[in-house]
Amino acid sequence: ACGSGSGAGKEKDTNISSELTYDHSMELTYAEEFSVDYYNDGYALATVADDGRYLIVPEGKEAPDDLAKDIIVLKQPLTNIYLVASAVMDMFVSIDALDSIRFSSQKEDGWYIEAAKQEMEAGNIIYAGKYSAPDYEQILDTGCNLSIQSTMIYHSPEIKENLEKFGIPVLVDHSSYETHPLGRTEWVKLYGVLEGKEDVAEQVFAEQKDAVAAASDGENTGKTVAFFYITSNGSVNVRKSGDYVPKMIELAGGNYIFSDLGADTDASSSVNMQMEEFYARAKDADYLIYNSTIEGELYSVDELLAKSTLFSDFKAVKEGNVYCTGSNFFQESTGTCDFIEDLHKVLVDETDDNYRFLKHVR
């Protein structure tokens, strides 16, 4: 299962300044959507997909004068962060850097990460508006020096432009575009660099890597799995075959029902299809897993049937093999091994309703 990640996916020029001497690059095992190059005196250059380059400047030092205009300067310590990419919160918790986050785009009841809820209850993290309507005045008054956004910001590009105009650097998290679940988890290393906690981040990733290896016994059960949700307009949203979720299904010993879905050149991780097409391709799947992240959890099979009566003909519905993810599935990004373990138990018919991320829908 081990891949050879290539960082941001293409060769790059490490000669970014006459004042900085390149030393080495971060070793990445799975992640392909970012890279980090290290320079003398503690400087580091993070490259995120095709979206941006960020020079991390150690505390007490200054950025070189001859940097290219596209390189965004991030001066440590990075504090009062406005966090919009909810999957990143768990990574900050895991490296003990939660005190660097001051603003959240989620209200308290929108978090499924207990530490984040507690910090909001205590007033240490403040709601500052969702990604498309941030409270600029509040953010600026407190000296925010970084906003970490999800790729949803591309739907409101003027927000990114405004933040940058006000002097707030914006980093867009692309971890959801990784093709391997451990590639997504490996993004913890990037946030370790930002927070000066590389060693802690390396340990967090190593533990997850070992746990995934232990949760994946390598045996394929032959069982097929459809992972999906019904959108508000009645279409079916499914993950593309190259996405990290189908890879998690494979590691758990299953086969994703859509083996050839989606073009490699398209960066999005999912695609919508009409219910009739989904029916034709997934009605014989052994298991249905409803993704509760967007539209909420299912509490009964009747709720699924209310979305479409066609589900009554699905093999998994007839055999009682319908599950849904918990609302915590996307936010708890360092729980990769637990989802794989949950799903493996389901596929091998181990009776256990004490799952972290799955719930049996009856």
Side-chain angles (χ1 to χ4, degrees), residues 60-124:
K61 298 186 181 296
E62 296 297 326
D65 294 326
D66 59 350
L67 288 176
K69 291 182 178 180
D70 70 293
I71 296 179
I72 299 169
V73 174
L74 302 179
K75 289 188 175 183
Q76 293 177 322
L78 292 165
T79 57
N80 295 328
I81 292 172
Y82 170 41
L83 182 62
V84 176
S86 59
V88 175
M89 180 69 82
D90 200 28
M91 299 186 191
F92 271 76
V93 172
S94 72
I95 61 173
D96 193 24
L98 196 55
D99 57 352
S100 296
I101 298 171
R102 181 57 174 160
F103 303 105
S104 166
S105 66
Q106 296 271 1
K107 294 183 178 179
E108 182 183 321
D109 60 4
W111 284 111
Y112 300 95
I113 298 171
E114 192 58 35
K117 296 183 74 167
Q118 291 175 358
E119 288 299 291
M120 293 198 79
E121 287 175 1
N124 298 324

Side-chain angles (χ1 to χ4, degrees), residues 82-348:
Y82 170 41
L83 182 62
V84 176
S86 59
V88 175
M89 180 69 82
D90 200 28
M91 299 186 191
F92 271 76
V93 172
S94 72
I95 61 173
D96 193 24
L98 196 55
D99 57 352
S100 296
I101 298 171
R102 181 57 174 160
F103 303 105
S104 166
S105 66
Q106 296 271 1
K107 294 183 178 179
E108 182 183 321
D109 60 4
W111 284 111
Y112 300 95
I113 298 171
E114 192 58 35
K117 296 183 74 167
Q118 291 175 358
E119 288 299 291
M120 293 198 79
E121 287 175 1
N124 298 324
I125 298 178
I126 302 169
Y127 175 66
K130 60 182 182 177
Y131 82 94
S132 58
D135 186 336
Y136 293 113
E137 184 176 354
Q138 185 179 45
I139 294 169
L140 290 169
D141 285 349
T142 314
C144 173
N145 57 17
L146 176 64
S147 175
I148 302 176
Q149 298 276 340
S150 73
T151 54
M152 290 292 289
I153 194 66
Y154 296 135
H155 296 295
S156 300
E158 70 282 1
I159 303 299
K160 184 174 184 290
E161 293 172 5
N162 286 339
L163 289 168
E164 292 170 339
K165 183 177 67 176
F166 293 139
I168 300 173
V170 176
L171 186 151
V172 181
D173 178 86
H174 282 68
S175 61
S176 63
Y177 288 168
E178 295 291 350
T179 59
H180 195 287
L182 283 172
R184 182 180 182 232
T185 305
E186 200 162 17
W187 275 69
V188 72
K189 294 183 182 180
L190 174 60
Y191 299 113
V193 172
L194 295 184
E195 292 298 314
K197 296 193 174 189
E198 291 100 324
D199 292 344
V200 179
E202 287 280 356
Q203 183 62 32
V204 169
F205 176 71
E207 290 173 357
Q208 275 293 302
K209 185 178 176 183
D210 291 344
V212 167
S216 311
D217 63 11
E219 294 184 10
N220 188 284
T221 63
K223 302 291 181 62
T224 53
V225 179
F227 187 94
F228 70 102
Y229 71 86
I230 307 299
T231 70
S232 57
N233 65 10
S235 63
V236 187
N237 181 277
V238 296
R239 311 298 286 206
K240 291 184 177 179
S241 305
D243 178 61
Y244 69 88
V245 172
K247 186 64 178 180
M248 294 170 89
I249 292 170
E250 177 188 328
L251 291 170
N255 299 313
Y256 186 52
I257 196 69
F258 301 106
S259 60
D260 58 352
L261 188 65
D264 293 338
T265 55
D266 189 345
S268 64
S269 58
S270 62
V271 64
N272 288 340
M273 64 175 59
Q274 294 304 307
M275 184 63 204
E276 290 75 12
E277 181 184 357
F278 181 74
Y279 172 84
R281 301 185 65 174
K283 65 183 176 64
D284 293 326
D286 294 303
Y287 292 87
L288 295 181
I289 299 181
Y290 193 84
N291 179 10
S292 302
T293 305
I294 306 298
E295 298 293 330
E297 296 184 21
L298 289 179
Y299 294 96
S300 70
V301 171
D302 286 341
E303 289 186 14
L304 181 63
L305 296 177
K307 295 179 183 293
S308 174
T309 57
L310 289 175
F311 279 113
S312 61
D313 290 334
F314 278 61
K315 176 183 178 182
V317 172
K318 292 177 179 179
E319 296 182 354
N321 291 328
V322 178
Y323 291 78
C324 76
T325 63
S327 299
N328 60 336
F329 174 63
F330 183 74
Q331 287 187 6
E332 296 186 20
S333 54
T334 61
T336 298
C337 65
D338 290 329
F339 178 78
I340 293 171
E341 186 173 345
D342 284 354
L343 185 53
H344 180 72
K345 288 178 180 178
V346 168
L347 295 175
V348 297

Side-chain angles (χ1 to χ4, degrees), residues 4-24:
S4 178
S6 58
K10 56 178 70 176
E11 291 186 13
K12 53 194 176 302
D13 184 6
T14 56
N15 184 18
I16 61 171
S17 168
S18 61
E19 300 176 38
L20 298 178
T21 302
Y22 169 76
D23 187 84
H24 68 287

